[in-house]
C-alpha cells in the first residue's frame, strides 16, 4: 500500500502531540459512554477517592500547567489560592467566550469532547471546595451549547455531577451562561459581571477573583483548553505532563493555524516547539511558492513575528520578548502579498470595536491610532504619524484598565518595529509594497497591450481610453482601483503597482 | 444500559468502561463523521444522511454511523473515517453525498479503497 | 497601619487605603475625573496614574491599595505626558465650546486641560452636533460633552438606588442612556439631580432661567432645605440678589445628595406671588403688616380664646416640612400653654 489512507499517517497529525484534543474526532461527543470508554471520569474518581483536595492541587502544581487563555498564569497556584480563600460558597467558571479572530480551539474541544471540560471543572470544584460552576460560552457556538447541555445532563444521570459524587458527600452542579457577543467578556472581571447580569465591563483589580469573584465569592476561572488538560494530568500523573514542553512552560498548546499556509486547521504541539516547525513541517509552508513574511500570534492582543524570529521556541516568555504573545492560540501566517500596515489596521479595528468603552486610553486612544493608520493606508500619512503611533501605543499600554486595552496596540507596535520600512513606503513613497492598500495602488497598461478593448468594456467608471489595436491608457485620477481590468485582460498587460 | 444509576466507586467505573467496550460487536465497523461546526458548515449533514441511508438500505447491521467532533483538518471537511475491526482506519475527505455513497459501495461492499478520495491524495 | 513613601514623603495609612487617599492625607494632589469619595472606585478615566517602584506600568492611584514599603511618584515627565495625552484624547472628542458653555470656569475638564497645557487648536469642531436631550423638566443631557467618567451612573446606582441610567453601546460609541432610549423623562429617573451635581463637565446641566457663569456669581448662601425635616444642607447660588441654582453641600449630613425639590424647587423664592411679609385680614382683603404686629395680634387672640373657651378650643397640626425642633416647640406650646393634647402631625397619616 503506497498511498496513505489514514489521517494518522499524515505529517499534520503525526507531528502533533494531542492531549487537549485527544478525543476530538474520535468519539461521539453526545454519548457519555464513549467518553468513559476512552478513560473518561477516571481522573475525577482518582481525585475524589485517592488524592483529596490537597493532592489534586499538588498534582496540578507539579504538572506545571499554565493558563491557556493567554496570560499563562500557573493553574496550580490559582487553584491553591482558591483553596485557601475563605468563603462559605465558592465558584468555578469555565471561560468559553473564545473571541480572538481566527481562534477556534475551544470550540473544537466543546463540540468534540465536552465531558473533558465538565470532568475538569468538577475536579477543580472538589479541589477548592466549590459547589457550583458556570460555563460562560458564547451564543455564537450553538453546537457547543447543545452538546455541553447534553453532556451536563448525562453526567448528572451517571452521578458525576449532582450531590454525593462517588459517594464522597461532595456535590457540584454546572450551569451554562451564554455570552451575547462581546469580546471583552472574555476578560475575567467583565465575564463575571456578565454572569451576574450586569454590563460586561472590567472592574479594577484588586480584588482578585480568587478572593472576590462571582457575587463577591472566591471564584476560580479557567479557560476551556486549560480545563481539557486536567483529566489527563490527574490520570497520568504530573510527572508525565511535566516531561512534555519547555522548561518554563509544560505541556502542549493548541494553535489555530490559518492564513497563507498550506495546511490550515488545529494543531496541538508541545510548548517550546520552534515556530518554523509548526509553519513548515506541520503546516506545510506557504502556498504557491510565495515567500513567508510574518506570522501573527495572539490575535488582537498579539503581534507579528518576522522571518528573523522564525526559530523562536513557542512559549509564553519567548513570544512576549519579541513583542507578541501566546494569546489563546491564533496563528495567522502572512506572505509577501500581505501588507503589514493593513494587518495592523485590521486587528486594531477589531479592538476599537470591541473596547467596552470604560477607560479613556482604550476607548479614545485606540480609535485615534486607527485614524492614523487609516490616514497612512490612504496615502495621507506624514512621518510624524509613525512617532505618534508609537507614543500613543505606549501610553495606551501604560494606562489602560484591563488586558484588552493594555495589549490592543501590540499589532501596531510590533509591525512598526519589524516592518517600519513598509510604513515608510506608505508615507514617503505613497506606495503599498504588497499591493493591498487600494488608495496607493496604480494600475497601468504595459506595451503587451493588444488593443482588444476588453478592459475598456469592463471598467465600471470608464477611465480607460484607447483606439482598437492600439495601446490603451488608464486615467489614474478617475480609476477606482477595482482591478476588474486586470482580471479581464487576456494578455496580462495590466499591472498593479 | 447505564440504568441512570450513579457510579459510586472506581471499580464500578472500570466495570462500566469494560461493559461499554463489550457492547461493541467484534465485527463492528464504525463510520465517524466530522460533525463539528466546520464539518456541518461544509455540508456534513447531507453526507451523514447519505451514509445512514446507504447502511440502512443495504442492511449492513455491523456498520454503525456516528457523529464526532473536529479532528482539526477543517479545510478538508466534510470528512469521515471508517474504523474496521482489524484496526484499519481510512480517512475520506472533501465528501459529498454522492461521493460518500460511492465510497461505501467500494469500501464496504467490495473492500476497495477509493484512493483519490482519501486524505493521502489531498495532503 | 501601612507605611509608604509618596513623592519622598513618608505616609502612614490604614490597610485598604488607596494610593490616592494616602496622597491626599499628606496634601499631595493627584488629578482625577472619575473619582468620588462616596462611590466605589471605578478606574475609568486613568488620569490618576502614578509610578510605583517595581511596576512597569502606571497604576491608577484610585484603585490601587497602598502597600507596605511602596515607593510612589505622582509627578514625573512620563506621568505628565500620559495625563496630557489622555486629556488630549478626551478633548479631541469634546465640542470646542468653552466660549459659550455655562460650565466654563467650574468645568473639571477645562481646569485639567489648563493645568496640563492641552491646546484647543488643532482639533476640528465636531461636524455633527448631537441634539440636546432636554425631555426632563429639570436638567439637560449633552451627549457630546460627556466624557464617560461614569459618576452619574454610579451615583444613580450606588447612592440614589435608582439605576435609571447606564452605559449603552460599546467602544467609541459608548454613551450614557436609559432603557429604550425614549428620553430621560420617560425613564425611571426621579429627577433628584444628583447626577447633575457630580458631572465634571457640562454634559448634565440644570435647566436655569438665567444665563450665568461661575464668575457672575455674587455669593453662595449656605442654608437648610425647607421642604422637609431631614435638614439637607444646600448652597443657594446667588446672582443679582436672585437664587439662580442650588448646589448640594458635601459637608452637610446629606453628603452632597438632594432630592428633586431641594435641588430644583427654588423658583418660588423669587416668585411674585410669594408672601414676604405677614398679612392681616381687613374686611374682604389683606393688608401688609410687620412681624411684631402680626405676632402680637395672634398672641392676643389666642389668649382671648383660651380665657373665653378653655383648652379644648385648641388643636394644632404640625408639618413634616418643619424641623424636629419646630415640631417639638409646637407641641410644647399646645401642651404646656394651651394645656391640651390636641396635637397631631401630618407624618402620622
Amino acid at each position: 500500500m503506497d498511498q496513505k489512507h489514514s489521517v494518522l499517517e499524515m505529517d499534520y497529525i503525526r507531528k502533533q502531540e494531542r492531549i487537549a484534543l485527544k478525543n476530538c474526532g474520535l468519539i461521539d461527543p453526545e454519548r457519555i459512554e464513549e467518553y468513559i470508554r476512552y478513560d473518561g471520569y477516571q481522573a475525577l474518581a482518582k481525585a475524589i477517592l485517592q488524592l483529596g483536595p490537597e493532592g489534586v492541587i499538588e498534582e496540578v502544581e507539579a504538572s506545571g500547567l499554565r493558563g491557556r487563555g493567554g496570560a499563562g498564569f500557573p493553574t496550580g497556584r490559582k487553584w491553591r489560592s482558591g483553596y485557601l480563600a475563605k468563603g462559605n460558597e465558592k465558584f468555578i467558571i469555565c471561560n468559553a467566550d473564545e473571541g480572538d479572530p481566527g481562534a477556534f480551539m475551544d470550540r473544537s474541544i466543546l463540540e468534540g469532547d465536552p465531558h473533558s471540560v465538565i470532568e475538569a471543572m468538577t475536579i477543580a470544584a472538589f479541589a477548592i471546595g466549590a459547589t457550583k460552576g458556570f460555563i460562560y460560552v458564547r451564543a455564537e457556538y450553538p453546537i457547543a451549547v447543545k452538546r455541553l447541555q447534553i453532556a451536563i445532563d448525562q453526567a448528572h444521570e451517571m452521578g458525576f455531577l449532582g450531590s454525593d459524587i462517588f459517594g464522597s458527600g461532595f456535590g457540584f452542579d454546572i450551569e451554562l451562561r451564554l455570552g451575547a457577543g462581546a469580546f471583552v467578556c472574555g476578560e475575567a472581571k467583565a465575564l463575571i459581571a456578565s454572569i451576574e447580569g450586569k454590563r460586561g465591563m472590567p472592574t479594577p483589580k484588586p480584588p482578585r477573583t480568587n478572593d472576590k469573584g462571582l457575587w463577591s465569592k472566591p471564584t476560580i476561572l479557567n479557560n476551556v483548553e486549560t480545563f481539557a488538560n486536567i483529566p489527563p494530568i490527574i490520570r497520568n500523573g504530573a510527572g508525565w505532563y511535566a516531561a512534555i514542553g519547555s522548561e518554563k512552560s509544560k505541556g502542549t498548546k493548541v494553535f489555530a493555524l490559518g492564513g497563507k499556509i498550506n495546511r490550515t486547521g488545529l494543531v496541538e504541539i508541545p510548548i517550546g516547539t520552534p515556530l518554523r516547525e509548526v509553519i513548515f513541517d506541520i503546516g506545510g509552508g506557504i502556498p504557491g511558492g510565495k515567500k513567508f513574511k510574518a506570522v501573527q500570534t495572539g490575535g488582537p492582543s498579539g503581534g507579528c513575528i518576522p522571518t528573523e524570529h522564525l526559530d523562536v521556541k513557542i512559549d509564553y516568555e519567548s513570544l512576549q520578548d519579541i513583542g507578541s504573545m501566546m494569546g489563546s492560540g491564533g496563528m495567522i501566517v502572512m506572505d509577501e502579498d500581505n501588507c503589514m500596515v493593513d494587518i495592523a489596521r485590521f486587528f486594531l479595528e477589531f479592538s476599537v470595536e470591541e473596547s467596552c468603552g470604560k477607560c479613556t486610553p482604550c476607548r479614545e486612544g485606540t480609535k485615534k491610532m486607527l485614524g492614523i493608520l487609516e490616514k497612512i493606508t490612504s496615502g495621507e500619512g506624514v512621518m510624524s504619524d509613525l512617532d505618534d503611533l508609537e507614543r500613543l501605543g505606549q501610553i495606551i499600554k501604560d494606562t489602560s484598565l484591563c488586558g484588552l486595552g493594555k495589549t490592543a496596540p501590540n499589532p501596531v507596535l510590533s509591525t512598526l518595529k519589524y516592518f517600519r520600512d513598509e510604513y515608510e513606503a506608505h508615507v514617503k513613497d505613497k506606495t503599498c509594497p504588497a499591493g493591498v492598500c487600494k488608495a496607493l495602488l496604480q494600475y497601468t497598461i504595459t506595451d503587451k497591450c493588444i488593443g482588444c478593448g476588453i478592459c475598456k468594456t469592463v471598467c465600471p467608471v470608464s477611465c480607460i481610453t484607447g483606439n482598437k489595436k492600439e495601446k490603451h491608457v488608464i486615467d489614474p485620477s478617475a480609476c477606482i482601483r477595482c482591478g476588474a481590468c486586470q482580471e479581464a485582460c487576456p494578455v496580462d498587460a495590466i499591472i498593479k503597482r | 444500559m447505564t440504568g441512570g444509576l450513579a457510579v459510586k466507586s472506581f471499580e464500578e467505573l472500570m466495570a462500566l468502561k469494560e461493559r461499554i467496550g463489550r457492547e461493541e460487536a467484534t465485527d463492528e465497523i464504525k463510520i465517524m463523521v466530522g460533525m463539528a461546526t466546520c464539518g456541518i458548515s461544509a455540508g456534513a449533514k447531507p453526507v451523514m444522511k447519505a451514509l445512514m441511508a446507504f447502511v440502512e438500505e443495504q442492511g449492513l447491521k455491523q456498520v454503525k454511523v456516528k457523529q464526532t467532533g473536529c479532528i482539526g483538518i477543517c479545510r478538508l471537511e466534510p470528512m469521515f473515517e471508517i474504523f474496521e475491526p482489524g484496526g484499519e482506519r481510512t480517512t475520506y475527505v472533501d465528501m459529498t453525498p454522492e461521493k460518500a455513497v460511492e465510497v461505501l459501495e467500494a469500501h464496504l461492499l467490495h473492500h476497495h479503497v477509493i484512493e483519490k478520495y482519501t486524505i493521502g491524495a489531498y495532503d | 497601619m501601612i507605611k509608604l513613601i509618596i513623592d519622598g514623603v513618608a505616609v502612614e495609612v490604614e490597610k485598604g487605603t488607596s494610593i490616592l487617599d494616602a496622597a491626599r492625607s499628606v496634601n499631595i494632589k493627584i488629578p482625577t475625573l472619575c473619582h468620588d469619595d462616596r462611590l466605589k472606585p471605578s478606574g475609568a478615566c486613568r488620569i490618576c496614574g502614578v509610578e510605583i517602584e517595581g511596576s512597569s506600568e502606571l497604576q491608577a492611584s484610585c484603585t490601587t491599595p497602598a502597600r507596605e514599603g511602596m515607593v510612589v511618584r505622582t509627578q514625573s515627565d512620563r506621568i505628565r505626558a500620559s495625563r496630557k495625552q489622555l486629556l488630549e484624547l478626551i478633548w479631541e472628542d469634546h465640542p470646542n465650546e468653552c466660549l459659550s458653555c455655562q460650565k466654563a470656569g467650574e468645568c473639571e475638564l477645562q481646569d485639567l486641560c489648563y493645568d496640563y497645557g492641552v491646546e484647543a487648536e488643532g482639533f476640528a469642531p465636531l461636524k455633527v452636533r448631537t441634539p440636546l436631550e432636554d425631555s426632563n423638566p429639570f436638567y439637560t443631557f449633552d451627549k457630546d460633552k460627556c466624557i464617560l467618567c461614569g459618576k452619574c451612573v454610579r451615583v444613580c446606582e450606588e447612592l440614589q438606588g435608582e439605576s435609571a441610567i447606564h452605559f449603552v453601546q460599546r467602544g467609541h460609541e459608548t454613551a450614557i442612556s436609559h432603557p429604550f432610549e425614549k428620553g430621560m423623562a420617560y425613564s425611571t429617573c426621579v429627577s433628584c439631580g444628583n447626577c447633575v451635581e457630580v458631572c465634571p463637565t457640562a454634559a448634565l446641566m440644570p435647566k436655569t432661567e438665567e444665563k450665568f457663569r461661575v464668575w457672575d456669581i455674587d455669593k453662595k448662601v449656605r442654608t437648610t432645605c425647607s421642604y422637609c425635616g431631614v435638614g439637607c444642607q444646600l448652597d443657594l447660588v446667588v446672582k443679582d440678589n436672585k437664587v439662580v441654582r442650588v448646589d448640594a453641600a458635601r459637608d452637610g449630613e446629606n453628603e452632597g445628595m438632594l432630592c428633586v425639590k431641594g435641588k430644583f424647587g427654588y423658583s418660588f423664592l423669587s416668585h411674585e406671588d410669594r408672601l414676604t411679609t405677614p398679612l392681616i385680614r381687613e374686611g374682604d382683603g389683606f393688608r401688609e403688616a410687620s412681624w411684631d404686629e402680626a405676632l402680637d395680634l395672634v398672641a392676643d387672640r389666642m389668649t382671648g380664646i383660651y380665657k373665653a373657651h378653655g383648652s379644648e378650643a385648641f388643636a394644632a397640626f404640625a408639618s413634616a416640612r418643619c424641623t424636629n425642633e419646630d415640631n417639638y416647640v409646637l407641641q410644647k406650646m399646645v401642651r404646656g400653654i394651651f394645656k391640651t393634647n390636641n396635637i397631631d402631625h401630618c407624618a402620622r397619616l
Side-chain angles (χ1 to χ4, degrees):
Chain A
M1 200 166 63
D2 296 318
Q3 186 153 8
K4 295 165 181 167
H5 297 147
S6 156
V7 70
L8 295 181
E9 300 165 281
M10 314 313 297
D11 280 355
Y12 186 78
I13 297 286
R14 241 167 18 92
K15 296 196 172 172
Q16 294 188 36
E17 171 108 31
R18 291 165 78 93
I19 296 173
L21 299 178
K22 180 177 86 80
N23 288 334
C24 292
L26 202 63
I27 65 167
D28 182 344
E30 293 184 17
R31 285 167 42 88
I32 193 170
E33 294 82 5
E34 299 214 0
Y35 183 66
I36 292 171
R37 195 175 167 228
Y38 287 92
D39 304 329
Y41 290 105
Q42 285 175 23
L44 179 62
K46 187 174 170 187
I48 294 179
L49 301 171
Q50 285 178 25
L51 297 175
E54 292 244 30
V56 171
I57 291 168
E58 276 163 25
E59 202 72 0
V60 176
E61 276 174 340
S63 74
L65 175 66
R66 295 170 63 177
R68 298 290 188 251
F73 191 83
T75 308
R77 208 196 300 168
K78 196 185 247 187
W79 287 20
R80 183 167 297 279
S81 74
Y83 172 71
L84 294 174
K86 294 200 174 25
N88 53 359
E89 200 177 10
K90 297 179 184 178
F91 295 105
I92 296 288
I93 297 177
C94 172
N95 183 350
D97 193 49
E98 187 173 48
D100 279 11
F104 54 95
M105 58 289 296
D106 292 350
R107 189 188 71 208
S108 185
I109 292 168
L110 297 173
E111 290 179 354
D113 195 15
H115 281 288
S116 67
V117 175
I118 290 163
E119 184 179 4
M121 286 178 71
T122 314
I123 293 170
F126 173 71
I128 71 156
T131 49
K132 178 100 194 170
F134 291 92
I135 302 177
Y136 189 84
V137 53
R138 55 195 311 216
E140 294 95 324
Y141 284 180
I143 298 171
V145 171
K146 179 184 144 213
R147 288 184 185 161
L148 277 171
Q149 193 56 59
I150 291 173
I152 290 171
D153 295 344
Q154 290 174 341
H156 257 285
E157 205 177 311
M158 307 277 288
F160 302 131
L161 282 178
S163 56
D164 198 25
I165 298 168
F166 280 110
S168 64
F170 160 68
F172 183 60
D173 261 320
I174 297 177
E175 267 183 54
L176 298 183
R177 283 290 182 275
L178 303 199
F183 178 69
V184 74
C185 285
E187 198 274 344
K189 290 229 158 182
L191 186 153
I192 284 172
S194 180
I195 292 182
E196 288 174 350
K198 299 177 187 149
R199 178 179 163 95
M201 268 181 159
T203 50
K205 290 177 196 168
R208 306 220 157 251
T209 54
N210 305 353
D211 303 320
K212 278 187 172 183
L214 188 59
W215 292 301
S216 294
K217 307 279 186 185
T219 302
I220 292 301
L221 185 142
N222 282 126
N223 149 280
V224 171
E225 193 187 329
T226 315
F227 275 130
N229 279 295
I230 295 291
I233 288 173
I234 298 296
R235 213 170 43 239
N236 302 330
W240 161 81
Y241 193 79
I244 305 162
S246 72
E247 197 191 325
K248 275 189 179 168
S249 311
K250 303 300 180 192
T252 59
K253 173 82 192 94
V254 184
F255 286 96
L257 210 47
K260 305 287 182 59
I261 187 152
N262 276 315
R263 303 189 198 116
T264 58
L266 286 185
V267 291
E268 183 170 355
I269 46 144
I271 296 181
T273 305
L275 196 50
R276 185 186 296 280
E277 217 174 293
V278 176
I279 292 167
F280 290 94
D281 298 352
I282 297 175
I286 318 297
K290 300 259 182 175
K291 230 176 92 189
F292 170 88
K293 187 187 224 169
V295 57
Q296 210 278 353
T297 66
S301 319
C304 288
I305 302 166
T307 321
E308 64 205 82
H309 289 307
L310 252 182
D311 289 310
V312 69
K313 289 191 182 347
I314 303 171
D315 65 36
Y316 295 95
E317 284 76 20
S318 311
L319 291 186
Q320 217 150 29
D321 286 347
I322 54 174
S324 185
M325 67 183 285
M326 190 100 112
S328 63
M331 194 177 269
I332 298 168
V333 180
M334 283 160 279
D335 69 5
E336 52 196 278
D337 291 340
N338 288 105
C339 166
M340 301 315 285
V341 186
D342 187 59
I343 292 290
R345 191 197 53 77
F346 168 81
F347 281 107
L348 193 66
E349 193 173 19
F350 181 87
S351 296
V352 166
E353 279 173 15
E354 294 298 339
S355 163
C356 80
K358 180 172 178 175
C359 78
T360 312
C362 179
R363 179 185 70 237
E364 308 287 344
T366 54
K367 175 88 177 168
K368 168 100 179 163
M369 281 181 83
L370 182 64
I372 299 176
L373 282 178
E374 278 165 354
K375 200 173 136 198
I376 294 173
T377 53
S378 60
E380 312 285 324
V382 291
M383 281 308 282
S384 65
D385 285 339
L386 304 190
D387 302 331
D388 284 349
L389 279 178
E390 251 164 9
R391 192 173 46 84
L392 256 172
Q394 217 51 57
I395 284 172
I396 294 168
K397 277 174 84 102
D398 214 11
T399 56
S400 287
L401 168 63
C402 84
L404 194 154
K406 282 187 199 300
T407 56
N410 283 352
V412 182
L413 295 178
S414 70
T415 47
L416 258 174
K417 181 174 170 193
Y418 296 120
F419 301 95
R420 199 178 175 95
D421 54 330
E422 253 182 78
Y423 279 85
E424 286 179 0
H426 283 73
V427 174
K428 281 186 188 158
D429 313 335
K430 307 289 175 209
T431 60
C432 174
V436 171
C437 299
K438 271 192 173 182
L440 300 176
L441 293 183
Q442 201 157 335
Y443 285 87
T444 33
I445 302 177
T446 62
D447 290 341
K448 276 162 94 179
C449 177
I450 52 170
C452 67
I454 290 175
C455 57
K456 207 158 81 177
T457 327
V458 298
C459 178
V461 291
S462 306
C463 73
I464 304 179
T465 50
N467 296 322
K468 272 265 170 222
K469 304 211 167 162
E470 280 172 26
K471 187 181 158 190
H472 285 41
V473 182
I474 298 172
D475 173 8
S477 63
C479 174
I480 57 164
R481 295 144 188 120
C482 66
C485 54
Q486 192 185 31
E487 263 174 50
C489 179
V491 295
D492 294 335
I494 301 178
I495 54 164
K496 178 174 85 169
R497 273 200 307 248
Chain B
M1 211 181 65
T2 54
L5 285 173
V7 180
K8 288 291 178 201
S9 70
F10 201 78
E11 292 68 36
E12 275 179 51
L13 179 64
M14 297 311 279
L16 176 63
K17 180 190 161 181
E18 256 176 53
R19 199 164 73 234
I20 293 165
R22 274 202 310 275
E23 273 164 15
E24 270 180 24
T26 43
D27 62 341
E28 180 176 298
I29 296 174
K30 252 191 329 187
I31 303 179
M32 303 300 289
V33 188
M35 287 280 278
T37 296
C38 48
I40 292 170
S41 59
K45 269 187 183 164
V47 169
M48 185 153 177
K49 271 190 194 151
L51 293 172
M52 291 169 92
F54 182 86
V55 170
E56 173 92 25
E57 271 166 33
Q58 300 289 330
L60 303 171
K61 294 241 159 42
Q62 81 286 18
V63 179
K64 297 265 185 298
V65 180
K66 293 176 171 182
Q67 63 170 353
T68 185
C70 160
I71 202 162
I73 312 178
C74 316
R75 69 184 183 282
L76 299 179
E77 296 280 2
M79 61 194 274
F80 60 81
E81 293 195 83
I82 303 181
F83 293 81
E84 283 163 282
E88 232 161 284
R89 180 170 172 178
T90 317
T91 314
Y92 289 102
V93 301
D94 196 20
M95 283 285 108
T96 62
E98 295 75 30
K99 283 192 205 170
V101 171
E102 198 184 330
V103 165
L104 287 204
E105 259 177 11
H107 197 115
L108 297 184
L109 303 184
H110 303 107
H111 304 289
H112 168 68
V113 174
I114 304 183
E115 307 231 317
K116 63 176 178 180
Y117 294 156
T118 64
I119 190 160
Y122 276 78
D123 194 57
Chain C
M1 294 298 269
I2 282 172
K3 288 179 189 149
L4 71 161
I5 294 173
I6 304 177
D7 292 345
V9 180
V11 188
E12 203 174 278
V13 290
E14 266 180 52
K15 191 170 182 259
T17 308
S18 69
I19 294 175
L20 179 72
D21 287 339
R24 285 179 177 177
S25 74
V26 289
N27 262 332
I28 294 172
K29 287 206 175 67
I30 300 173
T32 65
L33 281 172
C34 70
H35 188 76
D36 186 312
D37 292 335
R38 302 167 301 168
L39 303 171
K40 281 187 217 143
S42 146
C45 75
R46 316 308 286 176
I47 298 283
C48 71
V50 293
E51 285 175 2
I52 298 171
E53 251 174 44
S55 168
S56 60
E57 288 157 0
L58 295 181
Q59 302 292 329
S61 58
C62 65
T63 59
T64 310
R67 273 190 296 272
E68 186 64 38
M70 236 180 197
V71 180
V72 179
R73 265 183 306 279
T74 73
Q75 290 291 340
S76 72
D77 288 348
R78 173 181 170 211
I79 292 169
R80 274 196 81 79
S82 94
R83 285 184 189 155
K84 185 178 178 187
Q85 179 66 72
L86 292 174
L87 289 166
E88 279 173 357
L89 287 169
I90 295 171
W91 176 249
E92 190 153 351
D93 250 4
H94 198 84
N96 187 356
E97 292 173 4
C98 296
L99 286 180
S100 56
C101 182
Q102 188 150 326
K103 190 89 173 190
E106 49 186 351
C107 170
E108 293 173 36
L109 177 64
Q110 193 187 39
D111 291 351
L112 278 183
C113 285
Y114 171 78
D115 288 347
Y116 284 84
V118 174
E119 298 292 338
E121 62 203 63
F123 295 120
L126 290 181
K127 285 187 185 72
V128 184
R129 233 4 206 103
T130 311
L132 203 63
E133 213 285 71
D134 63 353
S135 66
N136 183 289
F138 303 107
Y139 62 87
T140 57
F141 176 60
D142 188 339
K143 179 170 173 272
D144 295 344
K145 286 183 180 168
C146 174
I147 60 169
L148 292 166
C149 68
K151 280 202 272 192
C152 52
V153 173
R154 288 181 287 140
V155 159
C156 192
E157 184 178 320
E158 293 174 29
L159 298 182
Q160 186 62 26
E162 213 59 53
S163 294
I165 50 174
H166 215 285
F167 300 99
V168 293
Q169 305 294 335
R170 65 177 177 233
H172 199 251
E173 308 304 314
T174 309
I176 303 293
S177 194
H178 48 277
F180 311 113
E181 303 190 65
K182 291 256 193 281
M184 232 31 123
Y186 308 98
S187 73
T188 56
C189 171
V190 294
S191 305
C192 64
N194 290 315
C195 55
V196 177
E197 194 74 42
V198 294
C199 183
T201 69
L204 282 162
M205 286 293 272
K207 285 184 176 173
T208 53
E209 284 167 22
E210 294 77 15
K211 269 183 83 167
F212 70 94
R213 291 199 286 190
V214 63
W215 47 82
D216 297 329
I217 295 170
D218 298 328
K219 59 181 171 181
K220 287 190 180 183
V221 180
R222 173 63 56 91
T223 188
T224 304
C225 179
S226 62
Y227 275 108
C228 78
V230 168
C232 291
Q233 295 297 293
L234 29 94
D235 290 323
L236 302 175
V237 178
V238 180
K239 178 199 166 194
D240 297 337
N241 206 29
K242 190 180 173 193
V243 174
V244 289
R245 190 179 78 198
V246 169
D247 291 345
R250 286 294 279 267
D251 50 357
E253 288 306 311
N254 47 318
E255 292 182 353
M257 299 288 286
L258 286 177
C259 74
V260 57
K261 292 190 277 184
K263 175 74 184 167
F264 298 115
Y266 58 86
S267 58
F268 71 91
L269 290 171
S270 49
H271 198 279
E272 55 181 23
D273 289 347
R274 182 182 169 196
L275 302 182
T276 49
T277 60
L279 298 178
I280 293 178
R281 187 190 286 275
E282 274 187 353
D284 287 338
F286 290 95
R287 73 167 169 84
E288 288 188 1
S290 71
W291 279 105
D292 280 347
E293 188 188 0
L295 288 172
D296 283 349
L297 177 66
V298 170
D300 282 353
R301 295 288 307 274
M302 280 181 168
T303 320
I305 291 169
Y306 184 74
K307 280 181 178 157
H309 304 286
S311 294
E312 290 308 299
F314 287 92
F317 197 67
S319 166
R321 280 186 54 176
C322 302
T323 61
N324 272 346
E325 291 78 2
D326 290 341
N327 279 307
Y328 176 79
V329 168
L330 181 66
Q331 67 85 28
K332 188 90 179 164
M333 182 171 83
V334 171
R335 289 199 173 103
I337 299 172
F338 300 142
K339 311 225 184 296
T340 172
N341 285 324
N342 289 342
I343 170 98
D344 211 336
H345 186 274
C346 73
R348 210 173 66 83
L349 291 177

